[in-house]
Amino acid sequence: MAPAMTRSFAEAVELLLINAEQLTELIERGGTQTDLSELRAILVDLRTLVERDPGIEMAIQDLYASCQPAVANKDAPPDHRRRRLIQEARLRLRDHAVRARPGPRAIDAGMS
């Protein structure tokens, strides 16, 4: 379901977070460039849905940046530090996103 079709802002944010979390878990296990591109699209959707906030913007950047090396080095042995960075970035994003307020796109779509 696309974010604009959900009933509330909170539901739209939660759906995007779930999708981002699933993709980051896939990336941790050896995801592809396509997975990283899908993650980027989800993070862009999330960013445009919420009110501008430096905390969430940084959390989005951190999550994407933590996933890039995992994709670039997917054939390397498991890197526990990299996995921890991804997991921590994912938690920071969730923490900021659940407290986010609707931005202009959400308000225009009638989300409350």
Side-chain angles (χ1 to χ4, degrees):
M1 179 182 297
M5 297 173 63
T6 59
R7 294 182 188 189
S8 74
F9 172 74
E11 290 171 336
V13 168
E14 182 63 22
L15 179 61
L16 289 168
L17 286 172
I18 288 169
N19 289 335
E21 290 166 349
Q22 290 172 345
L23 275 170
T24 57
E25 289 168 2
L26 179 61
I27 289 169
E28 284 180 61
R29 295 189 308 268
T32 65
Q33 187 63 42
T34 301
D35 299 324
L36 190 61
S37 295
E38 288 180 29
L39 176 62
R40 179 173 165 66
I42 289 168
L43 296 175
V44 167
D45 283 348
L46 179 61
R47 172 59 200 96
T48 61
L49 195 63
V50 300
E51 182 178 75
R52 186 177 172 128
D53 175 283
I56 197 162
E57 290 175 12
M58 194 60 164
I60 286 170
Q61 290 174 5
D62 286 349
L63 181 59
Y64 187 76
S66 69
C67 288
Q68 285 178 310
V71 171
N73 302 313
K74 70 178 183 175
D75 295 328
D79 182 340
H80 298 292
R81 181 178 179 274
R82 186 181 324 138
R83 292 186 84 180
R84 189 184 81 244
L85 289 173
I86 293 171
Q87 291 166 359
E88 289 173 356
R90 189 170 50 231
L91 291 172
R92 276 193 308 279
L93 177 60
R94 176 168 279 284
D95 183 52
H96 284 282
V98 298
R99 293 183 283 130
R101 295 173 30 161
R105 179 176 160 214
I107 293 169
D108 289 348
M111 294 181 194
S112 54

